[in-house]
Amino acid sequence: MASIPPTPPPPDVPLGPQMCPHARSFADWCDTLVSAATAKNDLVSLNQAKLLLIDRYFMWRVNVPVRHQVFPRPTSVHVCIFAVFESAYRRLQDAILALGPSPLVHPPYPAPPPPPAPMYETVNGIVVGETLDKDFEP
Amino acid sequence: MSYRGWSSRSSKSGLTPLRVIRNSRSRPQFVIDEADRMRGIHVVAGSGSGKSLLIGGNIAFGDFMRHTPQVLFDPVGSMIDAFLMRIASVPNPTQDEFCSRILYVDMSARGAHLVPFPLLYELGGETRHDVAERFLATCLAIDPQLQSASIQGWNALQRTGLPVGIILASLGLQLDSAMDLLRRPEAWTPRLNEAVVRHPDAAPAVAFIRDEYIPATPSRRAELTASYRAKVEPFTLDPTMRAMFCSTPSGVDWHRVMADRLTVLLDFRGETNPGKRLFKTRAAFDYVREFVRHRGPGAHLPLALHIDELTELTNAQSLDQSLFARDLDYLLNVLMRGFSCPVTVAHQSMHQVAESTQRTLMSMGTHVIGVTTDVESAEFLARHVVQFDPQRVKRWERVWASESKPAIGFGPAYTNHFVIDKREVNWPLDEQLYVAARALRNLRPFEYLIKPKGRSTLVHASIKRHVGNPWPTDHADLLTDLRDRLARQACSAVVQIGPPAPVPSVTLKDSDAHHDPRDDDDQLDPLYWRS
């Protein structure tokens, strides 16, 4: 599975100087996130990064002007935050797929830690009871 | 064998050390060590204080886990139930192994299974006289008035009982044949000869029967044997008593008990007849005592003896007699300490026993005192186990001084009072005694004040977490089933109760010398108990 080449980015997404200021700011954040996750290159980190990316995208979306909120397709003069989100999402997804297929079942739970071993004391005699007060004075 | 932390490694004494759980949440356990066990444990606590649970569930079960051979005397059954509850709580594979180390004896002999306790028994090396004397000593112990009756008392009992017992012991017979010997002594002539051939030391006894008893008139015979007949008649008339005390071999084989480290449970709860109960209790007690005495002094493997309700071992008449006190003193001060027989004794109140017995009991090593409602008993115990301090400070009093001041100017003269010192007020010994006795009476059930040997202070301990789960009273059916199972296990043959067999006439042959009739199946008594 590791030999599957990553999906090439869509040719019609020129992420460059056409980005609006909101998209550029978001792209900086996405680059940092994707770089850190792909550097670790483990399934949990990549999935966490993907989840964080989705959350952050929608948070970004409600804070940009309305015309940037609904800008589905990039054009030659305006690449907006959705295109940046889609690009970052694709890079993370490629990295996840490169690790192998997603598991279809829950991983086994880790074995519970063994209970602490009781402490024994060896006595040469008869246990009568629990001591409540070893120096009882009426 | 290991169960819940009870280990199986043997100590130098041959007993298994116990492993008790100790963690930060549990309180420290109070342990009576092996050396102190040899000084005895005296438990005195009122009814409902949990003393049977303490002995059966903790002390006896602890001895069991240490692989100590032991005997439990229980006139009321609660101590044995507490012990068996611990056994019943064990998972099954281990429970089977535990049950194989228990010999349960239902002393009422009411069920289908019966464990024989022959009254004429040999432990090895003793004379016929010793064998015959044991039964008479048991009779004296339960009826001390015999000593004061000069004509038909102890002297008359010995005069007839010893020769008859010696002859029966020489022939390998039991006391159920005694009445036949006394009724038809002429028919016994061949067997008398056989007794002398087998055991020459029986000759004086045979001479008494032949030369004094047979020539005597019927009235003289009746006079000679009246006391003895009264003692042996129950073994002829009562089939249960005959089956139990006249069957051989003994169901409690001491050599097996010691070798296999068995726990012998002597359960007297089913015996409701006071006379039989007293005799059975005393006979069984003497049986154990004779074995310990027969082993002799020395560092043997200990045989622990636990006695619940001590006062059941004697009757009301002999409570005030010195005989019981002497027996107890011999048990506690001679057998226990020198013959490796640690004893645990329990009773309800100090005033159940006579003054001499009180002194003997208070000489034991460890005293375990539970709640009691008896004020006098509490004061007695407090006086003996609490160390009073005459210098104990009750309170501090201020010492005042005064100074007269003269009148100054127009003011009046006055006196100034002030404290110059403090003085201690000691606690009167009577008050200390009262407070200590009140502490004993205010103990909760399952809580005890323990006075260990060699310590001046008391230890306050509780057994509730040890024995409270599960309660024996909540599982009466389970315990009944377990007792039945153990009773079946103790007897491999059911004793048939029937009429006594006539004494077979034998022809003495040379080859019959030193011949044991128990080896011949055709000469076996129908009551004969075979293992």
Side-chain angles (χ1 to χ4, degrees):
Chain A
M1 288 300 178
S3 62
I4 296 175
T7 309
D12 56 346
V13 184
L15 297 179
Q18 298 84 359
M19 278 194 280
C20 67
H22 304 292
R24 184 165 300 282
S25 173
F26 186 50
D28 292 343
W29 183 86
C30 287
D31 282 343
T32 308
L33 175 72
V34 173
S35 301
T38 50
K40 289 185 182 175
N41 201 30
D42 70 286
L43 195 59
V44 173
S45 299
L46 290 169
N47 276 325
Q48 284 177 345
K50 193 166 75 173
L51 194 62
L52 186 58
L53 174 68
I54 295 169
D55 289 345
R56 184 57 68 96
Y57 165 70
F58 282 100
M59 200 166 69
W60 215 283
R61 184 171 173 270
V62 298
N63 286 299
V64 297
V66 175
R67 61 181 292 265
H68 293 272
Q69 291 178 2
V70 284
F71 203 91
R73 295 181 66 82
T75 65
S76 58
V77 294
H78 186 192
V79 175
C80 202
I81 59 170
F82 181 76
V84 174
F85 163 72
E86 190 181 25
S87 172
Y89 184 88
R90 194 179 294 262
R91 285 160 63 194
L92 287 173
Q93 190 65 19
D94 284 344
I96 289 170
L97 290 176
L99 290 176
S102 298
L104 298 178
V105 295
H106 290 293
Y109 288 105
M119 296 170 61
Y120 290 114
E121 179 190 14
T122 302
V123 295
N124 247 336
I126 296 299
V127 178
V128 176
E130 283 184 334
T131 305
L132 303 178
D133 182 3
K134 69 176 184 179
D135 288 314
F136 180 82
E137 190 172 350
Chain B
M1 193 68 220
S2 172
Y3 168 65
R4 282 192 187 176
W6 304 90
S7 75
S8 59
R9 292 178 292 114
S10 294
S11 67
K12 288 179 183 175
S13 64
L15 301 178
T16 307
L18 297 183
R19 291 172 66 201
V20 295
I21 296 176
R22 168 166 287 185
N23 55 40
S24 57
R25 287 178 301 173
S26 64
R27 293 191 169 99
Q29 310 289 340
F30 180 76
V31 177
I32 300 177
D33 66 26
E34 210 165 299
D36 287 350
R37 283 297 309 282
M38 288 302 168
R39 308 293 292 183
I41 302 173
H42 173 219
V43 183
V44 53
S47 178
S49 58
K51 63 179 180 303
S52 298
L53 291 172
L54 167 70
I55 301 177
N58 271 14
I59 298 176
F61 188 69
D63 275 337
F64 181 82
M65 294 309 300
R66 300 193 71 206
H67 293 249
T68 309
Q70 59 180 339
V71 182
L72 275 72
F73 269 85
D74 195 355
V76 293
S78 52
M79 177 175 68
I80 286 178
D81 279 355
F83 175 80
L84 291 180
M85 196 69 245
R86 297 294 292 264
I87 300 292
S89 307
V90 174
N92 204 21
T94 312
Q95 189 185 113
D96 290 342
E97 190 268 336
F98 281 6
C99 287
S100 69
R101 292 201 287 123
I102 296 174
L103 182 59
Y104 176 78
V105 184
D106 180 3
M107 294 299 289
S108 71
R110 290 177 186 273
H113 301 86
L114 182 143
V115 176
F117 268 85
L119 292 169
L120 300 177
Y121 56 91
E122 291 182 42
L123 295 169
E126 67 268 57
T127 64
R128 306 302 100 189
H129 182 276
D130 295 336
V131 173
E133 198 177 28
R134 288 180 188 135
F135 168 66
L136 304 180
T138 302
C139 293
L140 180 63
I142 61 176
D143 186 7
Q145 305 294 340
L146 285 171
Q147 276 186 322
S148 57
S150 56
I151 299 175
Q152 289 296 336
W154 175 240
N155 293 336
L157 189 67
Q158 268 194 318
R159 185 176 171 80
T160 312
L162 272 179
V164 173
I166 289 171
I167 291 168
L168 295 179
S170 302
L171 294 170
L173 298 173
Q174 288 295 317
L175 289 174
D176 54 343
S177 303
M179 289 300 287
D180 190 69
L181 170 59
L182 296 176
R183 281 196 202 105
R184 304 183 300 123
E186 296 81 4
W188 277 68
T189 305
R191 296 194 67 97
L192 295 178
N193 296 333
E194 182 191 353
V196 177
V197 171
R198 284 189 186 184
H199 297 282
D201 59 341
V206 170
F208 168 79
I209 297 293
R210 188 183 291 148
D211 302 338
E212 286 191 45
Y213 187 69
I214 291 179
T217 61
S219 60
R220 174 63 181 154
R221 285 186 183 182
E223 184 186 335
L224 277 174
T225 60
S227 297
Y228 186 63
R229 279 170 184 261
K231 301 297 178 191
V232 298
E233 262 178 352
F235 306 111
T236 309
L237 302 177
D238 187 335
T240 308
M241 292 287 280
R242 187 173 69 246
M244 185 159 201
F245 291 107
C246 300
S247 305
T248 52
S250 172
V252 181
D253 178 3
W254 289 119
H255 300 293
R256 182 175 160 243
V257 168
M258 299 306 291
D260 296 347
R261 305 196 176 199
L262 299 183
T263 290
V264 182
L265 307 178
L266 302 178
D267 192 348
F268 298 87
R269 84 181 79 184
E271 185 54 76
T272 52
N273 183 314
K276 285 187 192 176
R277 181 192 184 96
L278 181 59
F279 178 80
K280 288 178 177 179
T281 314
R282 188 66 204 203
F285 174 76
D286 288 348
Y287 189 45
V288 179
R289 194 188 58 179
E290 282 301 312
F291 170 69
V292 175
R293 191 160 59 178
H294 180 260
R295 283 201 308 173
H300 305 287
L301 179 67
L303 174 67
L305 183 59
H306 308 281
I307 304 172
D308 195 10
E309 302 296 350
L310 173 74
T311 50
E312 293 283 337
L313 272 180
T314 183
N315 59 13
Q317 289 178 333
S318 60
L319 271 180
D320 295 329
Q321 303 282 340
S322 60
L323 199 60
F324 178 64
R326 191 193 64 191
D327 285 351
L328 193 66
D329 187 68
Y330 180 72
L331 172 70
L332 298 181
N333 291 322
V334 179
L335 295 184
M336 180 172 70
R337 294 170 189 177
F339 291 63
S340 293
C341 180
V343 178
T344 307
V345 167
H347 61 113
Q348 294 193 10
S349 165
M350 292 309 297
H351 289 82
Q352 287 178 306
V353 294
E355 194 176 336
S356 53
T357 307
Q358 288 176 356
R359 280 197 296 272
T360 303
L361 290 173
M362 295 314 293
S363 71
M364 296 178 76
T366 304
H367 301 277
V368 182
I369 302 166
V371 62
T372 176
T373 55
D374 185 352
V375 179
E376 292 180 350
S377 180
E379 286 188 357
F380 177 91
L381 290 166
R383 191 177 291 115
H384 281 80
V385 301
V386 178
Q387 196 168 42
F388 300 118
D389 180 10
Q391 306 298 324
R392 186 178 177 186
V393 177
K394 184 179 182 183
R395 65 175 184 273
W396 290 87
E397 281 184 347
R398 286 183 281 189
V399 180
W400 293 84
S402 59
E403 182 184 18
S404 298
K405 295 284 187 182
I408 299 174
F410 295 103
Y414 64 95
T415 304
N416 189 19
H417 300 277
F418 51 91
V419 177
I420 59 169
D421 200 0
K422 287 186 177 178
R423 180 176 59 196
E424 63 182 27
V425 177
N426 292 330
W427 209 315
L429 291 180
D430 286 349
E431 283 187 27
Q432 290 188 46
L433 175 64
Y434 172 76
V435 171
R438 193 178 58 183
L440 297 185
R441 284 188 289 132
N442 287 346
L443 283 171
R444 294 178 179 178
F446 313 111
E447 288 185 5
Y448 293 91
L449 291 179
I450 303 172
K451 170 77 166 54
K453 181 181 175 298
R455 278 189 58 173
S456 58
T457 57
L458 298 176
V459 177
H460 188 198
S462 169
I463 63 165
K464 198 164 187 177
R465 286 189 58 188
H466 288 202
V467 299
N469 185 23
W471 291 103
T473 49
D474 293 340
H475 301 275
D477 293 341
L478 175 73
L479 291 175
T480 303
D481 292 345
L482 183 56
R483 286 198 303 268
D484 288 345
R485 171 188 168 188
L486 292 171
R488 284 196 303 274
Q489 175 187 296
C491 309
S492 58
V494 179
V495 173
Q496 298 174 355
I497 298 173
V503 177
S505 59
V506 296
T507 305
L508 189 63
K509 296 179 291 190
D510 291 343
S511 59
D512 280 340
H514 304 287
H515 172 74
D516 190 345
R518 288 176 294 185
D519 297 336
D520 296 337
D521 284 346
D522 57 344
Q523 293 188 13
L524 288 181
D525 191 285
L527 303 180
Y528 217 89
W529 187 88
R530 282 178 283 182
S531 60

